[in-house]
Amino acid sequence: MNEKIPETSDGKSAESRPSILKIAAIAVAIGAIAGAGGIYATGMLSGNAGGTGTACAAAIETGASLKPLLTGEVAAMAPRTQANDLSGLTFNDGDGNAITLADTGGKPRLVNLWATWCAPCRAEMPALDALQAEKGGDDFEVVAISVDGGDDAKPRAFFEEIGIETLGFYHDPTIGAFNTMKKEGLAFGLPVTVLVDSQNCVVANMNGPAEWASEDAYRLIDAVKAKSE
């Protein structure tokens, strides 16, 4: 049986999103207690080896140059100061075949880990779909990976329920992708989002939801795409 990952909040004021923040605060507290008991066992990292190295030095420089754009709706995203190569991050594609993040490469991507039981994840999914519709293509993709346990039925039903039209379907029922990001110092709850360059190196990361269908997010993605040309 897979353990649930705690939800995270978006850092906004209690007046702006009271219900999501209340749910997230409770979930994080529960997750912290569970984590102390070994919920994130290293044995769950099988098949999801990450890595670091000088190959990602350019991503750190890119992240630093983007810092002025990490404001407003994407203010919670932070540029990386250490190398994180996620080329080996493993999950399934829409046909159920095991792939790695490198298989989606050749362009910048916004990688988002989510689950149907995570209220902040559900709230931001339409915005991620809108971001893919607005900016997605050969030069950028939103890679939203469900970490729901079991088969594809539940996350696919959620996509249909809320009318997702442009996001590709990706699924990791093992929670291995989350644990890889946790080991890399990128994640502590859901949703977790990382911006990677065309070489699968992390440029910036955040925990918690954001309004991805916003001018702040669009400016950030435009800048990342421009730097990859």
Side-chain angles (χ1 to χ4, degrees):
M1 179 179 295
N2 292 319
E3 300 285 357
K4 277 190 178 181
I5 304 161
E7 300 168 6
T8 58
S9 71
D10 59 0
K12 291 183 178 294
S13 67
E15 290 78 13
S16 62
R17 291 187 184 176
S19 60
I20 289 180
L21 287 179
K22 185 175 181 180
I23 293 170
I26 295 172
V28 168
I30 294 172
I33 295 171
I39 186 172
Y40 302 120
T42 55
M44 299 178 73
L45 291 168
S46 177
N48 263 304
T52 60
T54 56
C56 289
I60 296 175
E61 294 180 5
T62 297
S65 70
L66 294 174
K67 191 172 182 178
L69 297 177
L70 302 180
T71 60
E73 297 292 348
V74 294
M77 181 161 275
R80 291 302 288 168
T81 57
Q82 68 180 64
N84 299 102
D85 179 1
L86 295 182
S87 297
L89 193 75
T90 306
F91 48 95
N92 297 334
D93 65 14
D95 295 321
N97 300 314
I99 62 172
T100 66
L101 188 62
D103 293 325
T104 70
K107 56 184 174 291
R109 281 140 295 152
L110 191 76
V111 182
N112 176 272
L113 302 186
W114 67 281
T116 57
W117 43 259
C118 164
C121 302
R122 295 174 69 96
E124 76 170 348
M125 197 57 59
L128 287 168
D129 190 47
L131 176 61
Q132 175 65 23
E134 182 71 20
K135 300 297 180 181
D138 293 338
D139 56 355
F140 174 74
E141 182 185 1
V142 176
V143 179
I145 307 168
S146 165
V147 295
D148 283 275
D151 60 24
D152 293 351
K154 186 177 290 186
R156 282 192 179 278
F158 175 65
F159 266 29
E160 184 175 350
E161 173 190 336
I162 64 173
I164 294 298
E165 296 181 348
T166 60
L167 289 176
F169 184 83
Y170 300 104
H171 188 200
D172 172 31
T174 71
I175 317 182
F178 177 86
N179 278 286
T180 292
M181 288 195 189
K182 182 176 185 291
K183 184 181 180 182
E184 292 285 315
L186 299 166
F188 61 80
L190 290 181
V192 56
T193 305
V194 296
L195 183 60
V196 301
D197 64 13
S198 60
Q199 302 303 311
N200 311 301
C201 295
V202 180
V203 172
N205 72 295
M206 67 178 291
N207 285 265
E211 179 49 71
W212 297 108
S214 65
E215 290 304 314
D216 294 322
Y218 294 163
R219 279 192 294 269
L220 173 61
I221 299 308
D222 283 342
V224 172
K225 289 164 66 171
K227 289 182 177 296
S228 68
E229 294 176 350

